[in-house]
Amino acid sequence: MVIEGETVEQNYSIMVLGEDGEMLDEVVAAIESDAFSVHKSVTAGLEQINTDGSHDGFVVCLPAGFQPVQESRQGTVIPPHANVMFVTRGDFDTVRFWAYQQGASDVVSWPTASTELRHRVASTVQADVDRFHRDLTEEKMLSFLRSLLDSGIQTLSPSLDSTLPNGFYYPAAVCSFGHSPYHAIALEQLTSNGIFTRRISNRLRACNTCGGTHLNYREVCTQCSSVDIVKTDTLHHFSCGHVGAVDEFRKGAGLECPKCAVVVRHIGVDYEKLSTHYRCGDCSHLSAEPGVQTQCMRCTALSTPHNTAERPIYQYTITDTAAVAAEEGRLSGLNLETVLRGGNPGLYTTQYFEHELRREMTRSIRYKSPYCVLLIRLNNLDAVRNQHAEKARDYINQVFEALSQGLRVLDTTCVWEADTLGVLLSSTPLEGGQLVVEKMQGYLQELDHLRLIQEPSITVSLISDKDENETAESTLAAAMAELNS
């Protein structure tokens, strides 16, 4: 990630989109520098945003008067894996909330200083998770591993950092991967290869709308959620039974019941002092304890602590397998992760898969967009490894190619477990997901030549939006339960 004072050495391709030609020219002029090759397109929609790799990022210019409520329709949703920043002349807080719902990487108010805009664009591009995945080669992982062994580092502990969107990084990984929010992606891959073990070191709460970890916890009225509450003593008038804040009873220098207008003089005789309460300045409601509300400092979304997402942070410890992998020059072990990762840039980590699932579930709630989650287990992989070790790598690659034939660019695939693939089918109803599974089975049947090694066989669980799971975690848990049933 870019930090203050750091020079951007790489030239990035940026596409600037918008319908206001004058604003478009201003933004292009502000971004243009040795670090960026800027292209522009006058358009009113987001249809030119693509994920074919032709551009490193997109900047969408929103003119004054832009109304997010009117524009929030299915056609304006940012495509999966697209790296998009919004620049707006409109109501910044309103646009910001809408933009992060769409999956934006950043939102900037216009006009702004050109140095600030270039810094934000560079930060957005360099913090792109897809870019991190593409750069995460086996050679780079081995170089990182050797540097740890040479320096004698046995344990990688996380460090909290408020400048990063996920809130933490691993100092021991900076030399190899930069000051990035995605260190855990590399460490998780090495863990799946048996090179690290892990234990929970900390937990963060994250926004359910944008995934940001910078949350403000504030006390609010339990009745109307107003933040205008004050801590006050409450009084109980014996005669009429009225209970209210002490301020309600004050009348000049004395006390008078606001309900029956009787002057109260003697505590214990006319009235009693109850415990401290919280009084709302908007609705006058009294409560013994205030409510607690969270507000995301990134997208401004409001929630309750219970509805925020918990993010475990791990500490990683090097195993004896690390020295073997460094000496042999390859990541040890033979499972789906180690075989498929290098030659399949569209294969993502479980963390990214869960991130995309959360985004898809958000789209489903707002736009009634369907989705399906598949977990696909290769049933006989142990037999292939044990009986035909020399052919196992080619066997796995051919099975994966067959299973991937019917998938689209917008679908997200990961290695969920050592012998299990995860597939997120975006904008796909239950019937469509069932059809995909049928086609996969058909493609496997065409691999006749692999039966000499082991007949390809899979077990599939299918969960859709119709199952009404509330979180990504519960969706994946349901898929695993179905797979193991």
Side-chain angles (χ1 to χ4, degrees):
M1 171 169 286
V2 176
I3 54 178
E4 289 296 335
E6 183 177 334
T7 300
V8 180
E9 297 178 352
Q10 186 169 346
N11 184 274
Y12 298 119
S13 175
I14 306 296
M15 171 63 79
V16 182
L17 309 171
E19 58 182 306
D20 184 335
E22 182 180 348
M23 180 182 179
L24 205 65
D25 290 338
E26 292 175 0
V27 172
V28 167
I31 297 175
E32 280 184 326
S33 68
D34 292 340
F36 303 106
S37 295
V38 184
H39 312 268
K40 69 176 181 179
S41 176
V42 179
T43 176
L46 306 184
E47 60 275 358
Q48 292 197 37
I49 295 177
N50 57 64
T51 55
D52 61 6
S54 57
H55 300 291
D56 295 297
F58 297 85
V59 176
V60 178
C61 300
L62 302 177
F66 176 80
Q67 296 295 324
V69 174
Q70 296 176 9
E71 297 294 333
S72 292
R73 57 184 184 274
Q74 185 67 27
T76 64
V77 178
I78 296 172
H81 316 310
N83 189 21
V84 180
M85 169 191 283
F86 285 95
V87 178
T88 177
R89 287 188 188 273
D91 181 345
F92 181 70
D93 283 339
T94 302
V95 171
R96 176 171 59 169
F97 180 66
W98 169 84
Y100 282 120
Q101 285 181 323
Q102 307 302 301
S105 299
D106 197 2
V107 186
V108 177
S109 179
W110 189 257
T112 192
S114 58
T115 52
E116 171 67 12
L117 183 59
R118 286 196 294 268
H119 171 75
R120 298 279 284 272
V121 172
S123 297
T124 297
V125 172
Q126 293 188 355
D128 179 20
V129 67
D130 283 346
R131 172 178 295 279
F132 190 88
H133 274 288
R134 290 193 297 269
D135 294 342
L136 198 60
T137 62
E138 185 173 35
E139 181 181 352
K140 191 168 187 177
M141 299 278 278
L142 286 168
S143 176
F144 167 59
L145 196 55
R146 292 185 183 108
S147 70
L148 293 179
L149 293 171
D150 290 343
S151 61
I153 296 176
Q154 293 295 314
T155 302
L156 287 82
S157 299
S159 180
L160 299 180
D161 188 339
S162 62
T163 67
L164 295 175
N166 67 331
F168 70 99
Y169 74 108
Y170 290 84
V174 170
C175 289
S176 296
F177 304 114
H179 191 73
S180 168
Y182 304 123
H183 289 162
I185 292 176
L187 302 182
E188 283 295 300
Q189 183 173 331
L190 291 170
T191 301
S192 70
N193 292 332
I195 291 171
F196 287 137
T197 59
R198 70 179 190 180
R199 59 178 290 273
I200 292 179
S201 172
N202 204 342
R203 297 180 187 274
L204 291 179
R205 305 300 300 189
C207 172
N208 257 334
T209 298
C210 72
T213 55
H214 305 150
L215 302 177
N216 174 40
Y217 288 79
R218 60 190 194 182
E219 296 178 334
V220 296
C221 173
T222 56
Q223 185 78 15
C224 70
S225 297
S226 169
V227 295
D228 184 13
I229 58 173
V230 293
K231 196 174 184 179
T232 182
D233 291 329
T234 54
L235 305 182
H236 171 215
H237 184 205
F238 291 140
S239 179
C240 71
H242 179 69
V243 175
V246 65
D247 289 342
E248 296 178 7
F249 280 80
R250 286 204 173 95
K251 186 78 170 182
L255 298 174
E256 180 182 291
C257 177
K259 180 180 178 182
C260 62
V262 172
V263 174
V264 292
R265 294 185 175 85
H266 306 291
I267 188 169
V269 177
D270 299 327
Y271 69 96
E272 63 177 340
K273 185 178 179 180
L274 301 179
S275 59
T276 300
H277 281 65
Y278 292 82
R279 181 176 183 273
C280 178
D282 287 344
C283 71
S284 299
H285 178 70
L286 281 175
S287 58
E289 295 292 337
V292 179
Q293 189 180 67
T294 64
Q295 182 172 35
C296 178
M297 306 289 280
R298 184 168 182 250
C299 73
T300 74
L302 298 176
S303 184
T304 61
H306 174 73
N307 288 326
T308 57
E310 185 177 77
R311 298 281 186 270
I313 306 176
Y314 296 98
Q315 180 187 77
Y316 296 87
T317 302
I318 294 179
T319 68
D320 294 338
T321 307
V324 177
E327 183 177 350
E328 293 183 354
R330 67 180 182 89
L331 300 179
S332 301
L334 185 63
N335 54 35
L336 294 183
E337 181 78 20
T338 57
V339 173
L340 299 176
R341 172 64 63 190
N344 296 280
L347 195 67
Y348 298 92
T349 63
T350 54
Q351 284 187 322
Y352 185 73
F353 185 83
E354 292 181 62
H355 170 71
E356 284 301 303
L357 176 56
R358 292 187 188 96
R359 288 180 58 177
E360 197 63 39
M361 293 179 74
T362 299
R363 292 190 191 99
S364 179
I365 293 172
R366 291 191 173 90
Y367 309 112
K368 308 303 180 184
S369 174
Y371 66 88
C372 290
V373 175
L374 307 180
L375 290 185
I376 307 165
R377 177 173 293 154
L378 275 64
N379 295 325
N380 50 14
L381 200 52
D382 280 338
V384 175
R385 283 191 290 250
N386 295 333
Q387 301 170 22
H388 304 277
E390 74 285 354
K391 299 178 181 179
R393 184 176 294 273
D394 185 56
Y395 180 95
I396 291 173
N397 275 315
Q398 290 192 54
V399 170
F400 179 73
E401 288 177 9
L403 296 176
S404 302
Q405 282 188 53
L407 300 181
R408 306 158 298 177
V409 175
L410 56 82
D411 297 326
T412 305
T413 308
C414 79
V415 175
W416 185 251
E417 288 185 342
D419 296 349
T420 304
L421 292 169
V423 179
L424 172 60
L425 302 174
S426 179
S427 302
T428 303
L430 176 61
E431 298 75 14
Q434 293 169 337
L435 182 61
V436 169
V437 174
E438 291 177 11
K439 288 183 176 180
M440 286 181 173
Q441 298 281 11
Y443 294 140
L444 287 182
Q445 293 300 314
E446 297 174 4
L447 300 176
D448 292 335
H449 59 287
L450 291 185
R451 294 179 183 177
L452 297 174
I453 303 174
Q454 193 74 226
E455 182 172 359
S457 171
I458 59 173
T459 300
V460 182
S461 65
L462 170 59
I463 300 294
S464 76
D465 57 292
K466 290 185 178 180
D467 291 292
E468 298 182 347
N469 290 288
E470 294 184 357
T471 65
E473 289 77 12
S474 62
T475 299
L476 292 165
M480 280 301 298
E482 182 179 316
L483 189 67
N484 294 326
S485 62

